[in-house]
Amino acid sequence: MSSLSRELVFLILQFLDEEKFKETVNKLEQESGFFFNMRHFEDMVTNGEWDEVEKYLSGFTKVDDNRYSMKIFFEIRKQKYLEALDKRDRAKGVDILVKDLKVFAAFNEDLFKEITHLLTLDNFRENEQLSKYGDTKSARSIMLAELKKLIEANPLFRDKLQFPTLKNSRLRTLINQSLNWQHQLCKNPRPNPDIKTLFVDHSCGQPNGARAPSPVTNPLMGAVPKAGGFPPLSAHGPFQPAPAALPTSLAGWMANPTPVPHPSASAGPIGLTAANNAAAVLKGPRTPPTTNPTMDYQTADSEHVLRRSRPFGLSDEVNNLPVNILPIAYPSQTHGQSSHPSDDLPKNVVMNLSLGSAVKSMDFHQIQQILLLVGTNIGDVMVWDLGSHERVAHKSFKVWDLSSCSMPLQASLANDYTVSVNRVMWSPDGTLFGVAYSKHIVQLYAYHSGSDLRNHLEIDAHVGSVNDLAFSYPNKQLSIITCGEDRVIKVWDAATGVKQFTFEGHEAPVYSICPHHKENIQFIFSTATDGKIKAWLYDNLGSRVDYNAPGHSSTTMAYSANGARLFSCGTNKEGESHLVEWNESEGTVKRTYLGLGKRSVGTVQFDTTKNRLLAAGDEFAIKVWDMDNVNLLTSIDADGGLPASPCIRFNKEGILLAISTDDNGVKILANAEGIRLLRTVENRTFDPSRVPPASLLKAPAIAMFGSANATVGTSIGDRAAPVAAMVEMSTDNRSVADVKPRITDESMEKSRIWKLTEINEQSQCRSLRLPDNLRPMRVSRLIYTNSGLALLALASNAVHKLWKWTRNDRTGKSTASIVPQLWQPARGILMTNDTNDANPEDAVSCFALSKNDSYVMSASGGKISLFNMMTFKTMTTFMPPPPAATFLAFHPQDNNIIAIGMEDSSIQIYNVRVDEVKTKLKGHQKRITGLAFSHTLNVLVSSGADAQLCVWSTDGWEKQTSKFLQIPTGRVASPVANTRVQFHMDQVLLLAAHETQIAIYEAPKLECLKQWVPQEASGPITCATYSCDSKSIYVSFEDGSIGVLTTTLRLRCRINPAAYLSPNPSLRVYPLVIAAHPSDPDQFALGLSDGGVCVLEPLELEGKWGTSPPVENGAGPSSTSGATGSEQPQR
């Protein structure tokens, strides 16, 4: 079905709903599978209409589609079963057990036995897990809350839970437009035509030669509400191309918007036009459209409607459901308790950071979400690593080139050098951050990792204070937007500092900016201190909106992380604060949130998280609202010590919250998932270039079992009000300068005593060779599951082996201290790849694991196989050779898209769900040996046996650049040597591993930042990988040794083969592959040439693999393109 046909279905659904054909609406929803009506579903579940519930669900999913779907059907049938038992209707209970629940026995036989056992109890509440089951009404309510979570997380329901934003009676409006065109084409148009049928085209009779009235003033179907003026007909005929339309997010805010001819294929706001009506302004509030109170058809938002799924399509699950289908816990009889929106808010204070000056602005890194950027009221800018509780970078305000500054700025600084930071913000890819100061200046810094902070750009941006800044991509290139006291908004090229656009029109200082895009339309909202809101397109043609903020306040605006909802928060001169949600299509306030103080001290700052919560700092606390409820949800006092209007900032996943304190500090709050994240990265290598850690307040131990279903998305930053009076700088240049000489001395002393850590014996580390009763064959591929509880190996004979650590172990994860089980299903099935050669050991093996650990895609020279990781069953096979697949990689945003490297040097982009190759990429000369996606840069990097790297855009799959590895002088590489690639956790730096070298490149331009060449005595490099925190690089060699490198490619630890291998002079054994644990940065596993798999960890007393070499003269890593940091490993 085409895009327009699908959109027609939505229009018909809207029409049927307006005409009150309720049953027909629900039937069409089910049969089309385009829109899942959650309200209708809730009603059926609440009323216990179980057959109708399953029938409605069948239009969208089936029991065995994925684990989300399986659990949805299980919970419904289990509830039906329990209700039958509660009514003492055992016959019906048996019938449900046999017909409905029996299907789940194949997946969890023990659970089915336990459910069957309930028949023998007088009251099923005697079962411990069901002891808190209340009455039927409360049980249904609790189950419904769980079902809604499962449906929202199920990828098969993606973009089917919200109805497209449509004007009232959109289908009638389109018909009316058609009739107007038909009437205009009549030879003898009548002034008031009588339309009696839609079955044939309209035409007027011969009498009355009067010209037709303008369609703008005379809708032919009188009952149809006018959606907007129709375009006047030109002298050249009625079929001139209509101009593109303004996005509805802007058009609704204008008094006379350009018309929208029809919805685009995307059901979101509609595309942009040339600015015909740029001068039109809105003088007063518009009346929002009346909406049907029974359904959300008028206000919901949606993106593209997905194709119906194929049976073997992979689910793009973001949350790991348990393998066992467990019953829902019934905590009490209160309705919906388990889904309370504040349950996973970061509320636990886990550390205090002492800054020495008052916080004005904060921002979390978008990728490394434990990095916090802070700007203060004396111009200090610092980066904190929350994993190590350390301030890793610091800059005091200093003009880099005073001579190039404007005379007003030079005069201002000569009179008073004191400045404040108004705003700090990371760029989307985290490689830059911007700082807006209270005097003229914007500075951009380049940041890679650790203390590696470098000056990038300094812009004399505005006359007076620079009040805000933001990043955007107006022309697919990064730009920085600034606004200031001079009432102007400017857009600058973030690479060169060249000014691209200037927007003038505000009559007061511009207070904040909010860039956004709808589909391919880029625009900027701006607010001024007089309470005016304007909107701009990147065209220098003036503002599209002129509107008043609530209370005429200094306001910040922000979208929810998914871009679907627009909010603003502001405080006026009288101290009145307003937090509201806007109706984008109408330019009116849709919802005003209650609970802010009547006389706020300072400007209230706010942030959004998880697409469902709003938070604002007010009255010495953090106040939180559910986006859909105007009443205050909860308040967080963070153990006290907050200022009247604290700065606040959530990290991207909403699991950490930074709050400014009244003693010039920052408190970090975390939920259970945030605590787990911090504990994962606690053990960091000492870096003497870092300043001493801040004082911190450790919270009591808290359970580490938070929700893993955090919504990923960006959120808005905090704001500091422009201020005239600044705090005077102390004359001692702050404490940082005092400690630097001491650190330098320590570093010099450490450099004299530092020694490479050598591990030569098994007593010097923890190693474990995993049990194996299958035929030993060399290990071709090795990977940890994403949960970290299992290891999957692919042997050269095409057989997979899976080792599992049980969750009941005291560690709760894989470890070298506990022997795991070589796991197989009860039937003893092996996951064995299809092979095409007489000798499969000569074939190239490859596999890729889905994000939810449910599926593995694998090949060993024959067809590609898709295996179910729970049952080991082969779900499908495809792509028979030739050519054979040599490398596989799942797309990071869509498990159904796979990049397949081929033996013939091509790369095929394959969609599993629809079983088709989307495109074929050609650029290598030999077989593909590595693939790596960057979801930040939207690129795919490929490597081949030709020692070449290629970068491909994932938007259009065109090649962006390519580069050959620099083979070290005197080294001869094998003509078919593997080159593997892997992205750093920042998704920008790229690790390239070749038998002759390890190299670090910067994507997407593939600039070589560092190269490391091992000593020839070690033999060729066989494999290399980043640790999970990207702080270490594990490298294996053909002589059996393992090297642990720092990210600056300096060897810090060497593990000799005697430390993990039993001595056997007659057998040469060495690692072929190496895999890093997904959450423990100091654990890795080796796949050996004799078929063994070993897990290695440092001793518990050591905690890590050696210590980092000192940074020479305090210098960071070299960034010279092609620089060779070759270092011979010390023996």
Side-chain angles (χ1 to χ4, degrees):
M1 181 177 286
S2 69
S3 300
L4 291 180
S5 297
R6 287 196 295 270
E7 291 191 355
L8 180 59
V9 173
F10 283 115
L11 296 180
I12 294 170
L13 283 170
Q14 183 196 41
F15 172 79
L16 293 172
D17 178 60
E18 290 172 339
E19 298 298 320
K20 311 299 183 189
F21 293 108
K22 185 176 179 181
E23 290 186 10
T24 308
V25 167
N26 300 143
K27 184 67 175 175
L28 181 55
E29 289 166 351
Q30 173 202 329
E31 290 191 345
S32 67
F34 292 159
F35 174 62
F36 185 84
N37 190 331
M38 187 67 81
R39 188 170 300 179
H40 174 58
F41 179 75
E42 290 174 4
D43 291 342
M44 290 188 293
V45 171
T46 302
N47 295 330
E49 300 168 2
W50 305 121
D51 291 342
E52 292 302 314
V53 167
E54 290 210 19
K55 187 176 181 181
Y56 188 70
L57 277 171
S58 68
F60 303 88
T61 185
K62 294 180 175 56
V63 175
D64 57 354
D65 276 350
N66 58 45
R67 286 191 289 178
Y68 291 105
S69 300
M70 186 181 294
K71 193 147 171 42
I72 289 168
F73 281 96
F74 174 77
E75 295 301 340
I76 291 169
R77 295 175 185 183
K78 185 192 71 178
Q79 180 63 30
K80 180 167 64 169
Y81 176 64
L82 294 178
E83 289 184 15
L85 297 185
D86 209 22
K87 295 176 182 176
R88 311 285 179 176
D89 191 345
R90 293 179 182 273
K92 184 175 180 181
V94 171
D95 187 61
I96 296 170
L97 186 70
V98 173
K99 292 182 178 179
D100 296 336
L101 290 170
K102 179 76 172 175
V103 66
F104 301 105
F107 300 95
N108 193 326
E109 191 172 350
D110 292 338
L111 178 60
F112 182 72
K113 289 178 181 178
E114 187 176 356
I115 293 174
T116 304
H117 181 66
L118 297 179
L119 285 168
T120 67
L121 303 178
D122 292 333
N123 187 335
F124 62 76
R125 293 171 182 82
E126 296 173 21
N127 181 291
E128 183 180 353
Q129 296 187 51
L130 299 172
S131 60
K132 294 184 178 180
Y133 183 97
D135 57 17
T136 297
K137 182 178 179 182
S138 65
R140 287 177 182 174
S141 177
I142 292 169
M143 181 194 67
L144 179 59
E146 182 74 9
L147 292 178
K148 289 171 70 175
K149 284 184 179 180
L150 292 167
I151 289 170
E152 288 168 0
N154 193 327
L156 296 180
F157 290 82
R158 182 185 298 151
D159 297 330
K160 298 183 181 183
L161 300 178
Q162 290 183 311
F163 200 81
T165 302
L166 302 173
K167 293 282 189 180
N168 278 5
S169 304
R170 179 62 185 158
L171 185 58
R172 288 179 179 271
T173 301
L174 290 174
I175 294 172
N176 183 52
Q177 291 174 341
S178 172
L179 292 172
N180 275 322
W181 285 112
Q182 292 174 31
H183 184 57
Q184 187 66 31
L185 295 174
C186 289
K187 294 182 179 179
N188 299 291
R190 296 180 181 177
N192 297 295
D194 183 16
I195 305 297
K196 294 182 178 179
T197 181
L198 299 176
F199 292 166
V200 296
D201 287 349
H202 161 73
S203 63
C204 292
Q206 292 299 322
N208 191 345
R211 285 197 53 79
S214 169
V216 176
T217 59
N218 184 27
L220 298 183
M221 295 175 65
V224 180
K226 187 168 68 174
F230 297 117
L233 300 177
S234 73
H236 301 288
F239 298 107
Q240 294 296 308
L246 280 170
T248 55
S249 53
L250 297 183
W253 294 51
M254 296 171 54
N256 187 22
T258 306
V260 181
H262 61 79
S264 64
S266 168
I270 303 167
L272 186 63
T273 184
N276 296 336
N277 296 319
V281 293
L282 189 61
K283 299 300 182 185
R286 296 182 57 154
T287 304
T290 57
T291 57
N292 187 335
T294 63
M295 303 186 77
D296 290 336
Y297 280 106
Q298 303 303 320
T299 59
D301 193 12
S302 174
E303 295 298 329
H304 297 279
V305 181
L306 300 178
R307 295 192 202 183
R308 301 297 296 275
S309 62
R310 291 183 51 142
F312 64 90
L314 301 186
S315 59
D316 185 17
E317 296 161 275
V318 295
N319 188 15
N320 288 325
L321 287 178
V323 175
N324 297 326
I325 308 173
L326 300 175
I328 299 175
Y330 291 89
S332 72
Q333 295 187 29
T334 50
H335 296 189
Q337 179 176 342
S338 62
S339 64
H340 199 277
S342 67
D343 285 349
D344 56 355
L345 266 175
K347 298 178 183 177
N348 305 293
V349 179
V350 293
M351 71 182 75
N352 281 351
L353 310 177
S354 181
L355 308 182
S357 50
V359 175
K360 303 299 288 184
S361 179
M362 299 182 289
D363 193 26
F364 276 99
H365 198 282
Q366 293 294 305
I367 300 161
Q368 300 182 54
Q369 296 188 49
I370 55 169
L371 292 182
L372 178 66
L373 176 64
V374 184
T376 76
N377 66 336
I378 58 173
D380 281 359
V381 180
M382 53 198 81
V383 178
W384 289 84
D385 183 333
L386 303 185
S388 62
H389 315 142
E390 294 181 9
R391 188 180 68 186
V392 295
H394 170 263
K395 293 286 185 181
S396 297
F397 174 72
K398 180 181 179 182
V399 176
W400 301 342
D401 185 3
L402 189 60
S403 62
S404 64
C405 294
S406 63
M407 291 308 296
L409 175 56
Q410 293 187 39
S412 176
L413 293 173
N415 183 51
D416 180 9
Y417 203 78
T418 305
V419 298
S420 170
V421 171
N422 281 339
R423 182 77 142 115
V424 293
M425 176 175 275
W426 291 102
S427 64
D429 63 4
T431 58
L432 299 172
F433 67 77
V435 187
Y437 292 100
S438 59
K439 289 186 179 178
H440 300 248
I441 289 285
V442 168
Q443 291 179 338
L444 268 68
Y445 290 91
Y447 181 81
H448 290 292
S449 62
S451 59
D452 187 10
L453 187 61
R454 307 171 196 176
N455 298 352
H456 177 64
L457 274 180
E458 183 174 66
I459 304 173
D460 189 349
H462 294 271
V463 178
S465 174
V466 183
N467 293 337
D468 199 7
L469 63 81
F471 290 95
S472 71
Y473 289 91
N475 299 308
K476 294 190 177 181
Q477 288 189 323
L478 184 66
S479 296
I480 185 167
I481 310 167
T482 63
C483 66
E485 195 175 5
D486 56 4
R487 308 177 183 182
V488 177
I489 301 145
K490 298 179 182 179
V491 182
W492 315 82
D493 187 302
T496 64
V498 173
K499 186 167 61 177
Q500 298 171 319
F501 299 96
T502 300
F503 303 131
E504 297 179 303
H506 276 291
E507 298 176 357
V510 184
Y511 179 68
S512 73
I513 44 181
C514 175
H516 195 58
H517 67 91
K518 294 285 188 180
E519 299 173 359
N520 61 336
I521 309 305
Q522 303 271 350
F523 55 92
I524 307 167
F525 280 115
S526 63
T527 70
T529 55
D530 60 358
K532 289 291 185 182
I533 298 173
K534 293 180 181 290
W536 317 79
L537 304 177
Y538 292 86
D539 56 11
N540 286 324
L541 294 179
S543 69
R544 304 306 206 272
V545 166
D546 187 357
Y547 207 69
N548 292 324
H552 296 273
S553 55
S554 295
T555 297
T556 54
M557 305 186 78
Y559 281 86
S560 57
N562 59 10
R565 303 172 72 170
L566 178 63
F567 303 90
S568 73
C569 181
T571 305
N572 61 20
K573 296 176 181 178
E574 290 74 35
E576 296 176 344
S577 296
H578 302 267
L579 178 61
V580 303
E581 180 180 4
W582 291 91
N583 184 329
E584 276 192 275
S585 63
E586 294 296 322
T588 57
V589 172
K590 177 179 179 180
R591 187 179 281 116
T592 300
Y593 298 92
L594 310 177
L596 288 175
K598 299 298 183 184
R599 288 292 181 266
S600 301
V601 179
T603 302
V604 172
Q605 300 186 21
F606 84 118
D607 203 353
T608 69
T609 184
K610 297 180 181 291
N611 290 318
R612 63 188 300 203
L613 296 176
L614 294 166
D618 184 42
E619 295 185 312
F620 307 95
I622 308 303
K623 298 180 178 179
V624 183
W625 292 262
D626 186 317
M627 289 180 179
D628 297 321
N629 192 329
V630 298
N631 296 310
L632 188 65
L633 176 64
T634 188
S635 290
I636 304 170
D637 66 2
D639 299 338
L642 305 185
S645 299
C647 299
I648 66 170
R649 186 69 163 139
F650 287 99
N651 76 338
K652 185 176 180 179
E653 293 190 4
I655 59 179
L656 299 175
L657 172 61
I659 307 173
S660 64
T661 64
D662 59 6
D663 59 353
N664 296 339
V666 173
K667 288 188 177 185
I668 304 299
L669 280 62
N671 62 10
E673 189 71 13
I675 293 170
R676 185 185 308 168
L677 172 67
L678 293 174
R679 289 182 179 175
T680 298
V681 295
E682 267 180 356
N683 295 326
R684 292 297 183 90
T685 303
F686 173 75
D687 183 347
S689 66
R690 292 179 177 174
V691 298
S695 59
L696 35 118
L697 179 66
K698 288 196 176 180
I702 299 170
M704 293 166 39
F705 298 99
S707 167
N709 197 24
T711 304
V712 176
T714 56
S715 58
I716 62 136
D718 46 70
R719 291 281 304 120
V723 289
M726 298 300 162
V727 177
E728 193 168 328
M729 290 175 59
S730 60
T731 56
D732 65 354
N733 200 24
R734 293 178 295 282
S735 59
V736 176
D738 296 335
V739 301
K740 282 183 179 177
R742 180 175 62 81
I743 295 174
T744 304
D745 292 341
E746 287 181 359
S747 180
M748 292 174 63
E749 182 66 23
K750 192 171 182 69
S751 68
R752 286 194 287 269
I753 63 173
W754 180 85
K755 185 179 179 182
L756 175 71
T757 301
E758 291 263 8
I759 296 178
N760 300 309
E761 301 175 0
Q762 295 190 6
S763 61
Q764 293 178 288
C765 68
R766 290 181 291 167
S767 65
L768 173 68
R769 186 174 176 113
L770 304 189
D772 189 356
N773 55 16
L774 299 177
R775 181 187 175 194
M777 299 294 291
R778 77 171 188 268
V779 180
S780 300
R781 292 288 184 268
L782 184 68
I783 191 173
Y784 281 92
T785 57
N786 294 290
S787 67
L789 288 167
L791 260 172
L792 178 67
L794 174 57
S796 58
N797 62 350
V799 174
H800 299 77
K801 301 175 184 180
L802 180 67
W803 290 270
K804 287 187 177 183
W805 280 263
T806 63
R807 292 182 181 270
N808 296 326
D809 291 336
R810 59 181 177 84
T811 59
K813 67 176 182 66
S814 59
T815 172
S817 303
I818 297 174
V819 179
Q821 175 190 3
L822 180 61
W823 194 84
Q824 287 179 257
R827 300 177 184 174
I829 302 174
L830 291 177
M831 287 190 289
T832 305
N833 280 334
D834 172 66
T835 56
N836 196 46
D837 298 323
N839 188 1
E841 295 181 28
D842 294 335
V844 176
S845 298
C846 55
F847 65 19
L849 191 63
S850 67
K851 288 183 292 186
N852 54 19
D853 295 336
S854 295
Y855 311 100
V856 63
M857 193 81 68
S858 186
S860 297
K863 296 178 184 177
I864 300 173
S865 301
L866 175 65
F867 296 101
N868 184 311
M869 286 281 283
M870 290 189 291
T871 63
F872 280 19
K873 290 182 179 178
T874 304
M875 299 176 65
T876 187
T877 59
F878 55 96
M879 283 199 178
T886 56
F887 205 92
L888 299 166
F890 281 101
H891 192 288
Q893 273 90 36
D894 188 348
N895 264 354
N896 295 295
I897 303 297
I898 308 166
I900 306 174
M902 309 299 285
E903 199 171 32
D904 67 352
S905 78
S906 68
I907 302 165
Q908 299 196 22
I909 307 302
Y910 178 74
N911 189 317
V912 181
R913 188 182 295 275
V914 298
D915 191 21
E916 67 179 16
V917 175
K918 294 179 62 177
T919 189
K920 185 180 289 189
L921 312 179
K922 294 184 178 180
H924 289 273
Q925 282 78 53
K926 296 181 180 179
R927 63 178 169 85
I928 304 301
T929 60
L931 296 168
F933 282 97
S934 169
H935 59 76
T936 299
L937 301 177
N938 292 327
V939 297
L940 169 68
V941 176
S942 60
S943 59
D946 55 1
Q948 183 184 194
L949 308 179
C950 295
V951 179
W952 314 85
S953 166
T954 57
D955 294 328
W957 299 110
E958 67 275 4
K959 188 161 105 171
Q960 294 185 341
T961 188
S962 63
K963 187 167 289 189
F964 285 91
L965 295 181
Q966 305 165 17
I967 303 300
T969 305
R971 300 289 177 97
V972 179
S974 165
V976 289
N978 288 341
T979 304
R980 297 287 167 79
V981 285
Q982 180 188 7
F983 271 104
H984 185 282
M985 66 184 296
D986 68 6
Q987 295 287 290
V988 175
L989 298 181
L990 181 77
L991 172 69
H994 184 262
E995 65 176 28
T996 64
Q997 63 185 281
I998 300 293
I1000 304 294
Y1001 290 84
E1002 185 173 25
K1005 295 182 180 180
L1006 293 183
E1007 177 187 2
C1008 184
L1009 304 179
K1010 202 77 171 175
Q1011 184 187 45
W1012 182 82
V1013 180
Q1015 182 178 65
E1016 288 195 65
S1018 301
I1021 294 170
T1022 59
C1023 195
T1025 184
Y1026 273 121
S1027 61
C1028 65
D1029 61 359
S1030 296
K1031 296 294 183 182
S1032 303
I1033 300 171
Y1034 297 115
V1035 187
S1036 58
F1037 299 91
E1038 205 169 275
D1039 70 349
S1041 63
I1042 310 296
V1044 183
L1045 305 181
T1046 67
T1047 52
T1048 57
L1049 300 189
R1050 305 194 70 193
L1051 188 68
R1052 80 171 192 230
C1053 179
R1054 181 180 177 89
I1055 306 168
N1056 289 308
Y1060 67 92
L1061 292 176
S1062 300
N1064 187 348
S1066 63
L1067 185 62
R1068 178 171 169 260
V1069 180
Y1070 58 94
L1072 292 170
V1073 286
I1074 189 166
H1077 192 280
S1079 60
D1080 184 344
D1082 293 300
Q1083 183 186 134
F1084 61 90
L1086 303 173
L1088 305 176
S1089 56
D1090 68 349
V1093 173
C1094 289
V1095 174
L1096 276 75
E1097 292 177 301
L1099 295 175
E1100 288 185 336
L1101 291 176
E1102 299 292 334
K1104 55 188 176 183
W1105 299 107
T1107 58
S1108 295
V1111 178
E1112 299 297 335
N1113 301 320
S1118 169
S1119 294
T1120 306
S1121 178
T1124 303
S1126 182
E1127 176 182 309
Q1128 301 302 322
Q1130 301 175 41
R1131 293 290 183 179

